[in-house]
Amino acid sequence: MKWSRRDFLKVVAGSGGIGVIGATQVDRLLGLGRKPEGKPIYVPTVCEMCFWRCGVIAKVVDGKVVKLDGHPAHPQSRGKLCARGHGGIGLLYDPDRLKHPLIRVGQRGEGKFKKASWDEALNYVAEKMLKIKETYGPESVALFTHGTISTYFIHLLWAYGSPNLGMPSYALCRGARDIAFKLTFGAPVGNPERADLKNSKVIVLMGFHIGENAHNSMCQEFAEAVGKGATVIVVDPRFSTAASKAKYWLPIKPATDLALLLAWINVIITEGLYDKEYVAKYTEGFDKLAEAVKEYTPQWAEKETDIPVSLIIETARIMGKNKPSVLIHPGRHTAWYGDNTQRVRAIAILTALLGAYGRPGGIYLPPKNPLSEYGFGDFCGVPYPEHQKPEINKGPYPFTEEEGVIPEIIKATLTEKPYPIKGWLITGTNLIKSTPNQRDTIEAIKKLDLVVAVDMMPFDHVLYADVVLPECTYLERYDDIFVVKERSIGLALRQPVVNPMYDTKPGWWIAKELGVRLGLKEYFPYNDFEDFLKAKCEALGLNFEELKQKGYIEIPGTANPYINESSEVKFKTPSGKIELYSKQLEEAGFPPIPTYTKHEQPPKGYFRLIYGRVPVHTFSRTTNNPSLWELMKENAAWLNAKVAKKLGLKNGDYVVLVNQDGVKSNKVKLKVTERIRPDCVYVPHGFGSFSPMLKRAYLNGADDQQLITRYAVDPISGSVGMRINFVKIEKA
Ligand SMILES: Nc1nc2c(c(=O)[nH]1)N[C@H]1C(S)=C(S)[C@@H](COP(=O)(O)OP(=O)(O)OC[C@H]3O[C@@H](n4cnc5c(=O)[nH]c(N)nc54)[C@H](O)[C@@H]3O)O[C@H]1N2
Ligand SMILES: Nc1nc2c(c(=O)[nH]1)N[C@H]1C(S)=C(S)[C@@H](COP(=O)(O)OP(=O)(O)OC[C@H]3O[C@@H](n4cnc5c(=O)[nH]c(N)nc54)[C@H](O)[C@@H]3O)O[C@H]1N2
Ligand code: SF4
Ligand SMILES: [Mo]
C-alpha cells in the first residue's frame, strides 16, 4: 500500500492535527490588499520552528515570503512540512516581533524599555561583562541557550572563559536518554533518533506521543509502518493520538514505567523469547540480568502499573515473536521522574535482548561520517582559555555532559555557592517556561548584575532583561552549515530568503560584535558570514554555490544502517559489547542493572500533573504566531469524565489548578474526556504567557511550568524530572 499525504495527515490530524495556512491569512499578514503578482522565486533553506530542522523551499514574490514547502530531497522533510513549518510565515510577519535593541528603564520584570542603537546596547553588555570578569572572574557569567544561535554564543562563552552553559534540550529533555544509550551501546540515539520506524513490525511508544509530537519524517514513517500493518503498543496514562492508531493502549499508572519494562524483560527471558545468538555474540552481562529480573514478575508489575498480567505477557510475546523488527522508542523528552537514566537503560536492554539494535525495524546504526569535524570554533584556530574555577553547570552528576543542568546554575546564582554567578546571557530559550520552579528563577534574576536576552519575540523572560538584542528570524539569515545525520550523512544550508526586517541582526553577527567589544576579536575572524561558510565548504570538500542552489546535498556511500553479521562489530563501550550489566554505573556507585524505585502517588483530592505537546505549537515559541494561534489559541486541561462528574464540572468550564505548594495557575478551560486516567490532569505545555507585549499569547490558558515547583533530579545524569507535582481543581 502506498501512503499519500492524506494518510500522513490522518495520523497527524488525530487531535486537531496538521493545519494548512490559508492564502487569505498570508495576505492579511503581509498587509496586502491583493496577492503579490510578481514572478515567484524559490529559495531552499532550513526550518527552525522546531529542532527537527526540515529542509524548506520558500516561495518569494515581490520580496515577500508567500509559501513554505517541504524540501523534497531533505530526508527529514521529504517534500512535506508540518503545520508549524508552514507557519514560519506567521513568525516572520508577526507584528509583535522585537524590532530594535532595547535597554531596560523600569524594574526587572516590568517590561519597560527604551529603544537603543546596536552600538549602545552592545557596549552596555560588553562593559558589564568586562566588569564581572574583573571582579568575579569569567566563570561568573552563565549562558542559557537553545537552537542554532547556540553555535555562536557557546563559542563566545568559552572564548570569554566560562564553562557555565545550560541547554534546556539536555537535562530538561533528552540528556538521560543519551547517557543511557551511551552506557549501553556506546553511542547516543541521535537527533533525528535512529529509529527505523518504516521497517518496524512492532512499535512500542512509552509516553512518546507521535502525531502530537510532530517531528516531520518521524510522523511520515510512523504512518508508513501503520499502513503496512505494524502492531502499535502505546503506554500512556492518556489516550494519545498515537494510541488511536494502536492495537494496545496500556493506560499505565504514571511513574511506574520501569516496572512494566522490567516485567517485559522478565517474560522475554523466562519464556526464552530473546535473540540467543545476538545476545551471545554482542552483549555482556546476560546471566546477571536474568538473575536480577527474576523478582520482577508480571504479577508484581500488575500491582505497580495497573496493567493486567495477561496484557503484560501478551505484549511481551508479540515483541518476542516479531524480533528483531521491534522498535521500543527511547523517547526524547525523557525528564520524567528521578530515575530517568535507569528507565531508558531498561528500554535499551530490552532492545538488545530482541536483537533490535542495528537490525531492520529497530534502531539503525549511525551513518559513516567521512567529513572532517569542522566546528565553528575550528575556523578561528585559537584555543579556548582554561577556566580557573570548577564548572557549576554539571552539578555533582558523574555522567552529565557540558550542555549542563540548568537548575544547578540557578541554585548557584541564588546561593552564590560555590562562587557567585553575576551575569546571564539568555539566547533562544524562554527560561521562565522551560525551567521548573519559576520562583527560584525569578529570585535568582534579582541577584544578577546583568541579564541579556537575545530573542525574536518578547516572551516572558525578556521582561526581566537589562538589554534585549533582537535576532532576525531563520528566514532572514545565514547559519552554520548543518551536518544532517539521518540514515546517510548530508549537508544542509540555511540562507536568507528575504532581508532582515526592522533593526534585527543574525546571531552570528551579534556574537561577533560582542566578542570584538570583549577583546576577543581573534575568535571571530570574519567580516561576512559567507567567509566562514565558504571556508567550511572548502574544508568539507564541497562547492558553496552548489549547496546554496540545492539547499541539501547527500554524501553518497555513507549509509550503514544494519550490523554486518559476517564482520566483527565493536561497540564503543569499555567492553566493546552491548552492556546489559554496566560496570561504568557500578564503579560510580549506581545499580549496574536497573532496579525499581517507587515514586509518590497523588494524595487524596489531588491529581498528578502531566504535560506534553500539541501538533500545531512548539513549546511557548509559537503561541503568539498569528497563523498558528488561529489554529489553537489556548490550551485546555484534560480531566477524566467520571471525575469531572463527581466534582460537578463540565466540559468547557473554566477552572484554576492549584498545586501541592499552593501555587495557582491562570484560568484554563476544562476538556472532559474518557481519554485519560482518573488520577491525572494533562496540560499541553507552552501556554499562559504573562508578557503583555504579546498580543495573542498573553494569558492564553495555563502554564504547566508555573505549577512545577518541585522536581526530582536523576543522580546519574542530572536529568530534571518534572512530573512529580500534584494539583487540585478549583472553579475559576
Ligand atoms: N513544564 C515543562 N517544561 C519543559 C517541557 C515541558 O514539556 N513541560 N519541555 C522541555 C523540553 S523537551 C525542551 S526541549 C525545552 C524547550 O525550551 P525552550 O526552547 O526554551 O522553549 P520555548 O518556550 O519555545 O522558548 C524558546 C524561546 O526562544 C525564542 N526563539 C525561537 N527561535 C529563535 C531564534 O531563531 N533566535 C532567537 N534568538 N530566539 C529564538 C522564542 O521566541 C522563545 O522566547 O523545555 C523543557 N521544559
Ligand atoms: N508539535 C510539537 N512537536 C514537538 C515539540 C513541540 O513543542 N511541538 N517538541 C519537540 C521536542 S524538543 C521534544 S523533546 C519532543 C517531546 O515529545 P515526547 O518525547 O513525546 O514527550 P512529551 O511531550 O513530554 O510527552 C508527553 C506524553 O507522555 C505521557 N506521560 C506522562 N506521564 C507519563 C508516565 O508516567 N508514563 C508514560 N508512559 N507516559 C506518561 C503524556 O500523557 C503525553 O502523552 O517533542 C518534539 N516534537
Ligand atoms: S517538524 Fe515541522 S516545525 Fe519542525 S523543522 Fe520540520 S517542518 Fe519545521
Ligand atoms: Mo525537547
Side-chain angles (χ1 to χ4, degrees):
M1 177 177 174
K2 208 165 168 297
W3 271 68
S4 64
R5 179 171 164 83
R6 263 188 60 216
D7 299 309
F8 168 56
L9 292 180
K10 265 192 238 156
V11 171
V12 192
S15 58
I18 207 155
V20 179
I21 312 299
T24 49
Q25 227 175 321
V26 173
D27 297 348
R28 225 184 309 139
L29 280 170
L30 296 175
L32 298 174
R34 53 169 183 84
K35 280 208 179 105
E37 285 167 348
K39 195 167 179 291
I41 57 162
Y42 296 88
V43 187
T45 191
V46 175
C47 186
E48 178 109 347
M49 296 298 285
C50 85
F51 304 109
W52 202 245
R53 299 211 174 102
C54 295
V56 170
I57 307 281
K59 179 178 175 184
V60 184
V61 183
D62 300 342
K64 302 274 182 191
V65 184
V66 297
K67 195 163 187 290
L68 300 171
D69 280 305
H71 195 307
H74 194 297
Q76 282 160 269
S77 42
R78 305 175 194 181
K80 294 165 186 164
L81 294 180
C82 79
R84 300 164 298 152
H86 288 292
I89 299 177
L91 169 68
L92 179 63
Y93 299 117
D94 187 335
D96 293 346
R97 269 180 65 178
L98 293 166
K99 300 184 178 73
H100 35 70
L102 299 169
I103 293 178
R104 176 169 64 84
V105 291
Q107 295 297 310
R108 284 195 185 129
E110 263 188 328
K112 286 195 185 139
F113 299 100
K114 66 171 190 207
K115 194 170 160 178
S117 70
W118 276 98
D119 241 347
E120 270 175 286
L122 291 164
N123 288 342
Y124 182 114
V125 177
E127 249 170 60
K128 288 266 180 171
M129 281 180 75
L130 289 171
K131 188 90 191 284
I132 292 172
K133 194 174 195 168
E134 196 185 295
T135 319
Y136 304 97
E139 299 83 359
S140 290
V141 168
L143 169 68
F144 304 96
T145 188
H146 199 186
T148 314
I149 196 169
S150 306
T151 307
Y152 325 115
F153 272 83
I154 295 174
H155 177 64
L156 179 72
L157 183 83
W158 289 348
Y160 174 78
S162 172
N164 289 321
L165 161 68
M167 302 183 78
S169 47
Y170 193 66
L172 305 174
C173 176
R174 59 175 167 73
R177 176 193 82 180
D178 289 1
I179 289 165
F181 262 61
K182 272 195 197 169
L183 286 168
T184 315
F185 299 110
V189 74
N191 176 29
E193 291 88 14
R194 293 182 278 112
D196 199 16
L197 272 162
K198 66 179 176 190
N199 296 311
S200 304
K201 292 188 188 139
V202 176
I203 298 171
V204 183
L205 304 175
M206 306 187 79
F208 188 72
H209 52 342
I210 295 185
E212 286 149 300
N213 160 358
H215 281 165
N216 189 348
S217 52
M218 175 186 73
C219 294
Q220 296 188 41
E221 288 205 14
F222 180 66
E224 198 178 325
V226 172
K228 288 193 287 197
T231 302
V232 179
I233 301 167
V234 167
V235 182
D236 199 307
R238 189 180 63 94
F239 188 82
S240 59
T241 300
S244 72
K245 312 291 161 198
K247 178 155 182 209
Y248 297 94
W249 172 43
L250 309 182
I252 195 165
K253 186 198 291 174
T256 67
D257 291 67
L258 188 48
L260 174 63
L261 282 159
L262 290 166
W264 272 341
I265 293 172
N266 172 300
V267 176
I268 297 282
I269 293 180
T270 47
E271 297 197 2
L273 296 170
Y274 59 99
D275 186 330
K276 295 180 187 88
E277 211 177 299
Y278 183 99
V279 166
K281 202 163 160 189
Y282 301 118
T283 74
E284 184 163 285
F286 176 78
D287 293 340
K288 286 183 192 149
L289 173 71
E291 190 52 40
V293 298
K294 269 192 186 146
E295 61 177 299
Y296 299 125
T297 60
Q299 289 71 19
W300 163 82
E302 177 182 280
K303 293 198 197 89
E304 288 300 317
T305 61
D306 287 354
I307 300 169
V309 173
S310 58
L311 273 179
I312 297 176
I313 295 174
E314 190 175 324
T315 45
R317 285 181 183 157
I318 287 172
M319 287 185 237
K321 200 174 133 206
N322 288 283
K323 67 175 176 292
S325 299
V326 180
L327 178 76
I328 306 137
H329 203 291
R332 187 177 184 106
H333 175 60
T334 47
W336 297 5
Y337 306 97
D339 53 359
N340 300 316
T341 308
Q342 295 290 27
R343 190 187 70 248
V344 186
R345 272 264 301 153
I347 290 178
I349 289 168
L350 186 55
T351 299
L353 290 177
L354 295 165
Y357 189 85
R359 293 276 195 67
I363 302 283
Y364 61 79
L365 301 176
K368 290 184 238 163
N369 191 352
L371 303 174
S372 50
E373 287 298 328
Y374 190 81
F376 191 66
D378 299 323
F379 180 58
C380 67
V382 189
Y384 297 122
E386 295 266 322
H387 50 267
Q388 303 301 315
K389 293 185 192 161
E391 43 210 357
I392 285 173
N393 65 330
K394 287 187 180 172
Y397 315 108
F399 291 93
T400 209
E401 293 169 351
E402 63 201 7
E403 293 150 273
V405 180
I406 288 181
E408 291 294 325
I409 304 177
I410 293 178
K411 230 168 41 191
T413 309
L414 271 172
T415 59
E416 309 205 344
K417 287 196 175 85
Y419 52 84
I421 296 277
K422 287 292 173 186
W424 282 10
L425 309 178
I426 310 171
T427 64
T429 170
N430 181 348
L431 208 52
I432 302 283
K433 285 278 182 288
S434 63
T435 307
N437 198 342
Q438 285 173 351
R439 208 183 47 195
D440 271 6
T441 310
I442 292 166
E443 284 301 311
I445 287 174
K446 289 187 187 154
K447 306 208 98 177
L448 296 168
D449 293 346
L450 177 67
V451 186
V452 182
V454 186
D455 210 292
M456 302 175 308
M457 298 295 303
F459 272 104
D460 314 65
H461 64 296
V462 170
L463 301 182
Y464 295 89
D466 304 336
V467 182
V468 182
L469 304 174
E471 192 180 20
C472 54
T473 70
Y474 70 97
L475 292 167
E476 303 161 289
R477 66 183 195 231
Y478 273 121
D479 269 312
D480 193 359
I481 296 168
F482 298 104
V483 179
V484 179
K485 295 176 181 165
E486 214 251 6
R487 287 176 175 83
S488 293
I489 295 272
L491 294 150
L493 180 69
R494 173 174 296 146
Q495 58 184 322
V497 170
V498 289
N499 290 325
M501 292 172 70
Y502 319 112
D503 195 7
T504 61
K505 300 281 185 187
W508 62 261
W509 183 91
I510 303 171
K512 180 201 158 187
E513 289 298 316
L514 262 178
V516 170
R517 285 166 173 79
L518 290 167
L520 304 170
K521 195 169 173 205
E522 77 269 27
Y523 288 92
F524 297 91
Y526 54 82
N527 289 319
D528 207 300
F529 208 57
E530 286 199 6
D531 298 346
F532 165 74
L533 293 172
K534 281 179 188 153
K536 181 155 182 168
C537 278
E538 223 163 87
L540 298 175
L542 242 128
N543 180 325
F544 178 60
E545 288 310 319
E546 187 188 345
L547 186 59
K548 263 186 83 143
Q549 193 219 327
K550 292 187 175 157
Y552 177 79
I553 296 177
E554 186 171 301
I555 308 208
T558 52
N560 176 43
Y562 308 128
I563 289 177
N564 179 349
E565 316 272 341
S566 59
S567 59
E568 210 206 337
V569 182
K570 261 207 164 300
F571 295 88
K572 288 186 186 143
T573 53
S575 63
K577 300 230 169 176
I578 299 172
E579 300 201 341
L580 306 177
Y581 183 97
S582 171
K583 284 217 183 77
Q584 291 189 77
L585 282 176
E586 187 175 44
E587 276 158 19
F590 300 110
I593 289 168
T595 49
Y596 184 66
T597 38
K598 259 187 196 292
H599 299 288
E600 199 187 335
Q601 292 298 331
K604 201 164 180 288
Y606 281 85
F607 305 87
R608 183 181 299 274
L609 174 69
I610 58 175
Y611 54 77
R613 313 283 167 247
V614 292
V616 301
H617 285 291
T618 305
F619 318 115
S620 75
R621 68 185 63 207
T622 56
T623 53
N624 199 66
N625 179 307
S627 324
L628 299 172
W629 175 81
E630 203 139 310
L631 297 174
M632 183 173 177
K633 297 188 168 82
E634 61 184 313
N635 61 354
W638 295 37
L639 181 69
N640 178 275
K642 287 193 194 80
V643 175
K645 198 168 169 203
K646 244 199 233 158
L647 296 175
L649 294 164
K650 295 186 312 296
N651 195 38
D653 280 355
Y654 275 91
V655 296
V656 168
L657 305 175
V658 187
N659 85 351
Q660 72 281 331
D661 298 319
V663 174
K664 287 189 176 186
S665 72
N666 297 340
K667 74 179 169 80
V668 60
K669 213 187 260 180
L670 209 57
K671 171 172 169 149
V672 172
T673 172
E674 299 287 348
R675 289 172 53 187
I676 188 166
R677 282 175 58 100
D679 52 358
C680 302
V681 166
Y682 177 78
V683 176
H685 171 67
F687 293 83
S689 172
F690 56 74
S691 169
M693 293 155 89
L694 298 165
K695 284 185 203 69
R696 282 166 295 275
Y698 184 56
L699 301 184
N700 59 342
D703 170 13
D704 55 326
Q705 199 63 282
Q706 208 176 0
L707 300 163
I708 301 181
T709 48
R710 298 188 188 183
Y711 54 88
V713 184
D714 172 7
I716 299 174
S717 64
S719 169
V720 180
M722 296 187 278
R723 295 194 179 151
I724 61 158
N725 291 267
F726 306 121
V727 293
K728 58 184 182 188
I729 303 173
E730 291 177 358
K731 253 200 163 128

